[in-house]
Amino acid sequence: MTAATDDRRIDYVEFNVGNIEASKAFYGRAFGWSFTDYGPEYCEFDDGRLKGGFTTLGTPRPGGPLVVLYAHDLEAALSSVEGAGGKIVRPITGFPGGRRFHFSDPNGYELAVWTKS
């Protein structure tokens, strides 16, 4: 990114997790993310658009800010989350800009997935 496009934008998301391998398995299976390991306590993830990390250096803190992912096919994303072991905590619902659902990952973090249609 250039200075003009990266100013005041989300740059990185980091999750404290109980088990890095389990987190990699969940997000890899549910969303096809790729991973780079940086030792036993840190792993970077890349969803193709945004990078972040999983670390065991802190205690998992479910709650916090809501991270929202985008999907062209919301039903397929929901199925993928369930197939990877995620728990749907709010089913698909409509809102003025589209539709979304919320899920919790194996560490208890709640995330959302939305689509325009």
Side-chain angles (χ1 to χ4, degrees), residues 72-109:
H72 292 283
D73 185 336
L74 197 62
E75 286 74 14
L78 186 143
S79 178
S80 185
V81 165
E82 289 179 319
K87 179 182 175 190
I88 305 304
V89 297
R90 186 182 301 171
I92 294 174
T93 56
F95 65 95
R99 300 179 302 131
R100 70 196 263 172
F101 70 89
H102 291 217
F103 69 92
S104 62
D105 76 0
N107 288 285
Y109 286 103

Side-chain angles (χ1 to χ4, degrees), residues 1-83:
M1 289 184 158
T2 65
T5 61
D6 67 1
D7 186 36
R8 291 171 275 152
R9 304 287 197 272
I10 294 173
D11 185 58
Y12 204 80
V13 177
E14 193 169 87
F15 296 93
N16 291 313
V17 300
N19 182 303
I20 289 175
E21 291 305 314
S23 296
K24 287 167 54 176
F26 174 78
Y27 286 97
R29 184 172 175 199
F31 298 107
W33 293 0
S34 61
F35 307 95
T36 303
D37 293 316
Y38 292 101
E41 299 172 323
Y42 202 90
C43 172
E44 183 177 76
F45 64 78
D46 185 344
D47 72 358
R49 184 170 139 192
L50 179 75
K51 292 185 179 188
F54 298 130
T55 181
T56 57
L57 295 173
T59 303
R61 294 184 308 253
L66 180 66
V67 175
V68 182
L69 297 91
Y70 184 82
H72 292 283
D73 185 336
L74 197 62
E75 286 74 14
L78 186 143
S79 178
S80 185
V81 165
E82 289 179 319

